Amino acid sequence: MRRVVCPGSFDPVHKGHLEIIMRAASLFDEVVVAVSTNPAKKYRFSQEERIEMISEAVSNLSGISVQAMGSGLLAEYCKRIGADAIVKGLRGAPDYEFEAPMAAMNRHLTGVETVFLHGDGRYQHVSSSLIKEVAALGGDVAEFLPKGVLSRL
């Protein structure tokens, strides 16, 4: 069985994230959505709320579980849960330039590979930070969010 991890802070989860998670689920037997918390970041939603929103958004799909990653290195988390790979979505070249060194380090640390999936063009410009900013200023972000997330935002 092939288990992979889709890590992220998901604050909030948006349709770009979900598109990558669903594609990963079509390629692998099990996808663990690992919700991380970076102490250097300021979050709009608690980790529990983020887990709940993702769980609701993927509830109709099989082979996907959502859990808190906890503290420590992603590579060690993957080793601990028996994941074969990390799946990361890329919006473009800047994402790759940011993610490639981390992928190399994760492989060096524990042997876990990283699989990059190029995101759907409809979501190339979408990030959780941008969604929060636009929503706070009164902009319409409905087309980028699951209904459950939109109602909480």
Side-chain angles (χ1 to χ4, degrees), residues 73-144:
L73 296 170
L74 175 59
E76 292 297 329
Y77 172 79
C78 291
K79 183 178 178 181
R80 189 169 60 250
I81 69 163
D84 300 298
I86 298 163
V87 173
K88 298 291 282 193
L90 300 177
R91 292 170 291 191
D95 282 355
Y96 178 77
E97 290 172 11
F98 178 80
E99 295 289 349
M102 288 190 289
M105 182 59 78
N106 287 332
R107 186 176 59 248
H108 171 80
L109 291 171
T110 64
V112 67
E113 293 290 346
T114 300
V115 176
F116 295 116
L117 297 178
H118 193 270
D120 186 305
R122 295 175 293 170
Y123 309 117
Q124 292 293 309
H125 62 291
V126 177
S127 70
S128 296
S129 298
L130 184 58
I131 285 174
K132 288 184 289 190
E133 183 177 343
V134 170
L137 295 170
D140 182 8
V141 292
E143 71 181 284
F144 304 115

Side-chain angles (χ1 to χ4, degrees), residues 2-150:
R2 291 289 203 176
R3 174 182 291 156
V4 297
V5 171
C6 282
S9 55
F10 306 104
D11 186 44
V13 66
H14 56 70
K15 289 182 180 179
H17 292 133
L18 295 172
E19 188 259 336
I20 295 297
I21 293 166
M22 288 186 284
R23 286 175 48 209
S26 75
L27 296 170
F28 300 98
D29 300 314
E30 182 183 357
V31 175
V32 177
V33 179
V35 180
S36 64
T37 299
N38 179 343
K41 282 187 174 182
K42 184 174 179 171
Y43 292 98
R44 164 74 174 84
F45 297 99
S46 70
Q47 186 174 56
E48 293 76 24
E49 290 172 310
R50 290 180 278 141
I51 290 170
E52 187 177 298
M53 288 186 287
I54 299 165
S55 297
E56 287 173 10
V58 300
S59 64
N60 62 334
L61 304 170
S62 61
I64 301 173
S65 62
V66 184
Q67 57 186 251
M69 190 179 101
S71 61
L73 296 170
L74 175 59
E76 292 297 329
Y77 172 79
C78 291
K79 183 178 178 181
R80 189 169 60 250
I81 69 163
D84 300 298
I86 298 163
V87 173
K88 298 291 282 193
L90 300 177
R91 292 170 291 191
D95 282 355
Y96 178 77
E97 290 172 11
F98 178 80
E99 295 289 349
M102 288 190 289
M105 182 59 78
N106 287 332
R107 186 176 59 248
H108 171 80
L109 291 171
T110 64
V112 67
E113 293 290 346
T114 300
V115 176
F116 295 116
L117 297 178
H118 193 270
D120 186 305
R122 295 175 293 170
Y123 309 117
Q124 292 293 309
H125 62 291
V126 177
S127 70
S128 296
S129 298
L130 184 58
I131 285 174
K132 288 184 289 190
E133 183 177 343
V134 170
L137 295 170
D140 182 8
V141 292
E143 71 181 284
F144 304 115
L145 298 172
K147 288 179 182 173
V149 174
L150 183 62

